[in-house]
Amino acid sequence: MLSQLIAWIIAIATAWGAFSIPLSPAWANPVQNKVQAQLVSEVKTIQPGTPFWVALHFKIRPGWHTYWQNPGDSGIRPTIDWSLPTGIKAGEIVWPHPERLPVEPLMNFGYKNEVYHLIEIVPNPDLSNNSPTTLRARASWLVCEVECIPEEATLDLTLPVSAKPPLPNESWTAAFDQTLQAVPKQLPWTAVVKMNAEQMELHVDIPNIRAGQIEKVTFFPYEDGVITNAAEQKVAFGDDGLTLSLERGYQTELDTLNGVLVIQEKLDGQTATQAFSIQAQAGTAAAPSNTASAEENTPLWQALLFALLGGVILNLMPCVFPVLSLKALSIARTAQQSPRQARLHGIAFSAGVLTSFVTLASLLIALRAIGQQIGWGFQLQSPVFVTLMTYILFAVGLSLSGVFMVGSSWMGIGQGLATKSGYTGEFFTGVFATVMATPCTAPFMATAVGVALTQSAPIAIAIFATLGFGLALPYLVLSFTPAWRRRLPKPGAWMETFQQLLAFPMYAAAAWLIWVLTQQTGTNGLAAALTGIIFISFAAWLHQKTGTLRSFRRRLGLLGALLALGAAITSASLIGSAPTPIQVNSGLAWEPYAVERLANLRSSGKPVFVNFTASWCISCMVNERVALDQPEVVAAFQEKGVTLLKADWTNRNSTITQALRTFGRSGVPLYVLYPSVTEKAEPIVLPQVLTTSVVQQALDKV
Amino acid sequence: MIVNKNWTAKKSLLGITSGLMLLTVACGSSVRARSESPNVGGSTPAVSVAARPGAVRPGAAAPDFTGTDSNGQTHSLSDFKGKVVVLEWTNHDCPFVRKHYGTGNMQQLQKEATSKGVVWLSVVSSASGQQGYVAGSQANELTKSRSAVPTAVILDSEGKIGRLYNARTTPHMYVIGQDGNIKYMGAIDNIPSSQTSDVKKANNYVRTALAEVLNGKPVSTSTTQPYGCTVKYSG
């Protein structure tokens, strides 16, 4: 009896001893040192042949810091000298991404407060599993506040060896998960770098990027002298990704940029930091083309000259030429006009053009000021705008062809010119000419506009005003020089033919815009635009037909025409919200999210996992790669028979916005696991930062 | 009559067109947000040097400077034209500097260099009140007690020369050839530690570079990442 009791006690004590040894490794360096160091393991036992992670854990006194693999301008990274029993090997330190530690005027890269340096331990398959093994690490590091102190410690970690699969050490699981999150992953996009003597531009192709989500982008090089560590890193966002400007260091021969890119993304309620390892090949361009540096070198007078020339040449562009040439010819008709009247007409027209250009410039500047990254031509990025311009160009073409006569007085062909109200008419013709000019660009215009957008508001407006002046110049000159006016061909029947002929450049411009639209929205956009054009043609014909009828019918006809126009415009706005196709992940079959489908699945008792994501959400993408696409998670999903729904919020549709709101969220990512109805009814919401263990644990509850 | 009717229709359609154009310009464009935004948390631009830091690189001309030494004498780099010059950034309290002075390594290097006609300038860029700052008399005392033999100890408490050369650590070594170009810049040797036992084992870059420069040979290693304490510039 007693011996049995003793045997039990011994057994329990041994078991307790075996399991408690790795639980809390002793801290080295008692409190008076700046860093408390310990060696911790993610597992409680070693299985021969199964690699596992240990970590050199630093708790750093507040205000002090230690260093990353590239310490930056000064400092030294921690090193480990291992004493390992035979049959066990240790890898190199795997570093979580650092932060920038400014030390005016220099910059270091390292860690504050706490850091886990990961090391992979590889035990041989033929390791004997009788006795516990001790891993000994002699770690030395530099810890600095302003002054630096080299410190070192000898750290031991003893773990039993067992043939069974290693048990995870729960007290450290969260720390290891978090650290693995912070370790750079391979960049899933292409990165290119353009270099000149002083600058580098790192461009990462991230399709559908939403810059508003991204708070900060930082680059940490692996080597010294690649960048000027302390220099500011400016990030710019474009259609297809982001561009980070880096100041070069003293290394002159570089063909790749190697380092870590850290992106901080704003999620609902928290900021997620993603670290990527980058090897960007150097592009061949000597000077980065997107920076302002090239344009800053253009002196102002040159920019203004280009603007003037660009404006003049704009007169010849197919969007503008028909309008303005007919306008010019109409002057010849006005023989009864006094020279003063002619001049005033010219000035009114120029005023209209100038006002429109200045308004456009102010709008551009205002949009930039509130944070939108745009350049000239931005309007052509919007399918809605492109469609509307197509309609306008087409309508003007119809007017020139004679289908309806509303536009005739704009060209000055009508009788309105001789009247006093002709001045306001001229003004609006100027506005109209500008509207027509917006889809077209002219040579020289691009440089001028490029310079304008880098300058302060008054200079930018001045450049745009000069552009408008250039556009108005030929007409203005004509209105001021009677001699030239007399040289213009005399009006006659030929004018009508000429007018009808000029409809065709208009149709050509409309056709080009439809091509642009098809590029943007595909065949759906094409169908919508063509339908809109049919509506416009109908509206035009209806308007013309009812023009000769009595008032009531006329009004009805006008109403019908406007309704048709409305339908055309509605179809234009439909183009803007074309849904993007959903990508199918390898290994997982995602169905598109739909409320009815979810309800069906739940009522049939199947567990459902809903992944609320967007193609511009970097954390979503990282979660998919790091957790959802991992084989163990895929297997777990299949084992539990979970149906996978993907709610793609790339274009922010309202169904998904509603669904997000029911969970109290206003953004992505959101991961919801609905258990099978036979068990708990409450859906399980997973955290915004996923790991395989988090997902697997959630699935265990299903 | 006809004119007026044409007018109304024309005006309304013009109004609609202009309005629509401006509206779509404002709302409909699929613009991307946020132009350039600085990333570094609000602090002033960190590098404020007379010459750009990238300009100090091996092969480039060493920027001229004028400094006052511990005896109050002024020296300019141009004074030593035609000679090989070594610049040694130092901070006597820094553990890494102490490693080289404590073992006599730095003094030995200085002796070898100056005996061959090389000008050795120790530069102290620590700001007043910071670690390593010394007044002239204190600097002379340290030179004597450590048996150091630099040609002069330049006191650069405003950090002008340090920033000019982008000196980052103590020690940070520069070897300037007879032609006035930088031949070597970087660490003193290849073991970045504060352990005195590492001095003998290490490959001393300065010794190698000096030997190559004095023999007219091209320098094999012209730049390395310097190690040591951060230079304590004035904030």
Side-chain angles (χ1 to χ4, degrees):
Chain A
M1 184 61 196
L2 187 61
S3 56
Q4 263 194 336
L5 190 61
I6 292 174
W8 266 114
I9 291 173
I10 292 174
I12 290 170
T14 322
W16 176 253
F19 283 110
S20 71
I21 290 171
L23 277 179
S24 44
W27 283 105
N29 302 5
V31 183
Q32 58 260 33
N33 284 55
K34 308 295 177 277
V35 172
Q36 288 181 61
Q38 61 174 176
L39 199 57
V40 302
S41 161
E42 68 164 351
V43 292
K44 289 195 237 194
T45 61
I46 301 179
Q47 185 188 35
T50 307
F52 61 96
W53 290 99
V54 300
L56 173 64
H57 176 211
F58 281 174
K59 252 213 202 123
I60 308 166
R61 182 178 284 207
W64 293 72
H65 56 267
T66 60
Y67 295 93
W68 185 53
Q69 63 186 95
N70 173 10
D73 284 330
S74 61
I76 301 195
R77 65 175 180 221
T79 52
I80 303 179
D81 197 8
W82 289 99
S83 296
L84 299 167
T86 42
I88 298 197
K89 293 219 171 21
E92 294 298 318
I93 297 179
V94 174
W95 306 82
H97 74 81
E99 56 179 291
R100 279 166 75 93
L101 305 165
V103 188
E104 296 280 324
L106 306 168
M107 181 68 66
N108 289 328
F109 306 134
Y111 309 100
K112 291 204 279 221
N113 297 321
E114 200 174 11
V115 61
Y116 291 81
H117 306 85
L118 300 178
I119 302 107
E120 197 182 30
I121 305 290
V122 186
N124 268 4
D126 48 2
L127 205 59
S128 68
N129 40 349
N130 289 334
S131 49
T133 38
T134 302
L135 311 173
R136 168 165 289 183
R138 254 180 302 265
S140 57
W141 61 88
L142 188 67
V143 56
C144 306
E145 187 187 35
V146 175
E147 293 165 14
C148 292
I149 304 181
E151 293 184 349
E152 56 179 26
T154 302
L155 306 167
D156 286 340
L157 182 63
T158 306
L159 296 170
V161 181
S162 148
K164 290 197 230 97
L167 298 164
N169 189 337
E170 267 100 40
S171 20
W172 300 109
T173 309
F176 274 94
D177 275 349
Q178 264 185 333
T179 309
L180 275 167
Q181 262 279 317
V183 167
K185 309 159 241 319
Q186 192 57 33
L187 189 74
W189 309 287
T190 26
V192 197
V193 61
K194 286 194 191 145
M195 305 188 196
N196 65 17
E198 299 182 353
Q199 286 257 348
M200 285 198 286
E201 290 218 328
L202 173 66
H203 180 77
V204 183
D205 279 324
I206 307 177
N208 291 320
I209 188 173
R210 282 284 163 101
Q213 295 283 115
I214 296 179
E215 288 185 332
K216 205 169 175 184
V217 181
T218 320
F219 175 74
F220 297 95
Y222 287 135
E223 286 185 359
D224 192 44
V226 172
I227 64 171
T228 300
N229 297 330
E232 218 178 318
Q233 300 181 359
K234 285 207 177 107
V235 66
F237 298 97
D239 284 353
D240 55 347
L242 57 84
T243 306
L244 191 63
S245 300
L246 303 163
E247 207 178 294
R248 289 188 74 164
Y250 58 77
Q251 299 252 20
T252 43
E253 328 242 311
L254 286 173
D255 52 2
T256 43
L257 186 65
N258 293 319
V260 171
L261 189 70
V262 175
I263 300 179
Q264 260 176 279
E265 192 181 20
K266 199 167 37 185
L267 300 180
D268 220 28
Q270 66 174 104
T271 300
T273 308
Q274 308 292 352
F276 301 100
S277 143
I278 277 203
Q279 295 93 38
Q281 294 295 324
T284 49
S289 50
N290 286 338
T291 58
S293 56
E295 279 118 351
E296 270 164 11
N297 293 334
T298 317
L300 185 62
W301 65 267
Q302 213 174 33
L304 286 173
L305 183 66
F306 281 6
L308 194 66
L309 283 171
V312 173
I313 295 174
L314 207 53
N315 279 290
L316 299 172
M317 296 289 119
C319 323
V320 181
F321 181 68
V323 174
L324 289 180
S325 58
L326 290 171
K327 188 99 194 75
L329 288 176
S330 76
I331 300 178
R333 290 170 57 278
T334 60
Q336 63 269 40
Q337 246 187 4
S338 66
R340 186 175 155 274
Q341 268 187 321
R343 263 179 260 140
L344 282 172
H345 277 126
I347 292 172
F349 175 80
S350 308
V353 172
L354 277 171
T355 317
S356 315
F357 264 94
V358 167
T359 314
L360 202 59
S362 319
L363 204 66
L364 261 171
I365 291 164
L367 282 172
R368 279 179 79 92
I370 63 171
Q372 310 277 26
Q373 163 87 345
I374 46 180
W376 185 259
F378 71 97
Q379 64 271 35
L380 287 184
Q381 290 172 0
S382 160
V384 180
F385 180 83
V386 172
T387 320
L388 281 169
M389 275 313 300
T390 314
Y391 293 162
I392 291 171
L393 286 175
F394 186 73
V396 173
L398 285 178
S399 162
L400 291 173
S401 298
V403 173
F404 69 126
M405 297 304 266
V406 166
S408 61
S409 59
W410 297 346
M411 316 303 166
I413 314 291
Q415 293 91 324
L417 205 53
T419 65
K420 205 165 49 168
S421 58
Y423 294 141
T424 15
E426 293 286 324
F427 184 86
F428 278 111
T429 313
V431 174
F432 182 64
T434 313
V435 171
M436 302 300 284
T438 46
C440 295
T441 51
F444 298 113
M445 200 178 141
T447 320
V449 173
V451 176
L453 293 175
T454 63
Q455 302 297 326
S456 58
I459 297 181
I461 290 181
I463 294 180
F464 271 91
T466 317
L467 196 61
F469 185 67
L471 181 63
L473 195 60
Y475 183 74
L476 195 63
V477 165
L478 266 180
S479 65
F480 269 66
T481 50
W484 287 19
R485 283 209 301 279
R486 264 168 276 163
R487 292 244 188 82
L488 290 174
K490 295 288 175 282
W494 69 272
M495 279 193 78
E496 199 175 317
T497 319
F498 186 58
Q499 178 188 315
Q500 288 169 352
L501 194 65
L502 286 177
F504 291 99
M506 278 293 163
Y507 293 139
W512 169 68
L513 279 183
I514 290 186
W515 176 79
V516 170
L517 186 65
T518 319
Q519 298 281 312
Q520 291 179 334
T521 55
T523 46
N524 286 335
L526 179 64
L530 291 177
T531 314
I533 282 183
I534 295 171
F535 276 121
I536 296 229
S537 314
F538 176 70
W541 171 81
L542 191 64
H543 183 274
Q544 190 59 19
K545 270 294 170 204
T546 55
T548 53
L549 296 175
R550 285 185 314 243
S551 299
F552 176 66
R553 291 260 185 98
R554 181 134 205 278
R555 264 185 253 129
L556 202 63
L558 204 59
L559 186 67
L562 285 172
L563 281 173
L565 207 60
I569 292 167
T570 321
S571 60
S573 51
L574 279 176
I575 291 170
S577 56
T580 51
I582 290 174
Q583 306 283 22
V584 175
N585 282 333
S586 55
L588 285 173
W590 295 92
E591 288 179 33
Y593 174 83
V595 184
E596 313 82 54
R597 179 83 179 116
L598 178 64
N600 279 346
L601 286 166
R602 295 212 64 202
S603 58
S604 64
K606 299 188 105 195
V608 189
F609 180 77
V610 186
N611 170 10
F612 290 84
T613 184
S615 57
W616 38 259
C617 165
I618 292 182
S619 299
C620 304
M621 178 172 307
V622 172
N623 284 335
E624 276 173 28
R625 277 167 194 269
V626 157
L628 299 177
D629 287 350
Q630 292 298 312
E632 48 271 33
V633 173
V634 174
F637 276 131
Q638 285 170 348
E639 199 190 310
K640 301 277 178 176
V642 182
T643 311
L644 304 164
L645 295 184
K646 188 177 261 194
D648 193 345
W649 204 50
T650 306
N651 289 324
R652 304 201 178 216
N653 79 60
S654 49
T655 326
I656 298 179
T657 314
Q658 268 301 101
L660 284 168
R661 245 182 243 142
T662 60
F663 288 96
R665 297 285 183 87
S666 57
V668 288
L670 172 64
Y671 304 101
V672 184
L673 181 61
Y674 293 89
S676 44
V677 177
T678 49
E679 304 192 26
K680 291 196 305 182
E682 286 298 308
I684 304 170
V685 177
L686 275 66
Q688 287 187 306
V689 174
L690 293 182
T691 60
T692 51
S693 52
V694 163
V695 183
Q696 282 176 305
Q697 276 171 13
L699 284 172
D700 284 338
K701 297 189 199 145
V702 168
Chain B
M1 271 291 279
I2 302 170
V3 171
N4 284 341
K5 278 197 176 142
N6 268 345
W7 250 133
T8 329
K10 169 189 151 181
K11 258 195 177 167
S12 57
L13 262 164
L14 253 174
I16 292 173
T17 320
S18 323
L20 277 170
M21 187 208 112
L22 288 173
L23 248 169
T24 50
V25 154
C27 313
S29 45
S30 55
V31 296
R32 306 303 171 188
R34 216 162 74 192
S35 57
E36 313 190 340
S37 56
N39 277 301
V40 177
S43 53
T44 53
V47 184
S48 47
V49 292
R52 290 200 57 244
V56 173
R57 44 166 77 107
D64 193 13
F65 62 84
T66 307
T68 317
D69 73 8
S70 53
N71 295 319
Q73 275 193 306
T74 46
H75 300 276
S76 294
L77 184 64
S78 42
D79 295 345
F80 307 113
K81 215 194 287 206
K83 295 200 171 162
V84 178
V85 181
V86 172
L87 301 177
E88 170 218 347
W89 260 264
T90 188
N91 161 0
H92 68 280
D93 277 332
C94 167
F96 299 91
V97 171
R98 283 212 302 267
K99 162 182 149 186
H100 290 286
Y101 275 92
T103 52
N105 184 38
M106 191 66 81
Q107 296 91 322
Q108 174 70 19
L109 206 51
Q110 290 168 346
K111 201 156 110 183
E112 285 171 22
T114 48
S115 68
K116 296 198 184 115
V118 172
V119 174
W120 188 289
L121 300 174
S122 300
V123 185
V124 181
S125 290
S126 300
S128 166
Q130 298 283 3
Q131 188 195 53
Y133 172 77
V134 284
S137 53
Q138 205 186 344
N140 288 337
E141 240 175 71
L142 280 165
T143 306
K144 205 159 115 193
S145 63
R146 298 187 298 179
S147 309
V149 287
T151 311
V153 177
I154 308 279
L155 303 177
D156 178 42
S157 61
E158 286 180 34
K160 284 211 188 96
I161 307 173
R163 286 178 220 252
L164 188 62
Y165 276 78
N166 200 29
R168 297 146 38 173
T169 58
T170 52
H172 194 158
M173 314 297 296
Y174 294 78
V175 177
I176 301 166
Q178 297 102 329
D179 54 3
N181 289 344
I182 296 179
K183 298 295 181 193
Y184 173 78
M185 51 183 249
I188 182 172
D189 63 21
N190 68 340
I191 302 187
S193 78
S194 59
Q195 260 126 312
T196 49
S197 53
D198 287 335
V199 173
K200 286 260 151 47
K201 297 188 250 177
N203 169 13
N204 194 302
Y205 293 126
V206 178
R207 186 171 279 128
T208 315
L210 275 175
E212 286 165 338
V213 170
L214 289 168
N215 288 330
K217 287 199 284 211
V219 176
S220 46
T221 309
S222 57
T223 176
T224 56
Q225 181 169 12
Y227 70 86
C229 313
T230 324
V231 174
K232 312 285 186 254
Y233 289 108
S234 53

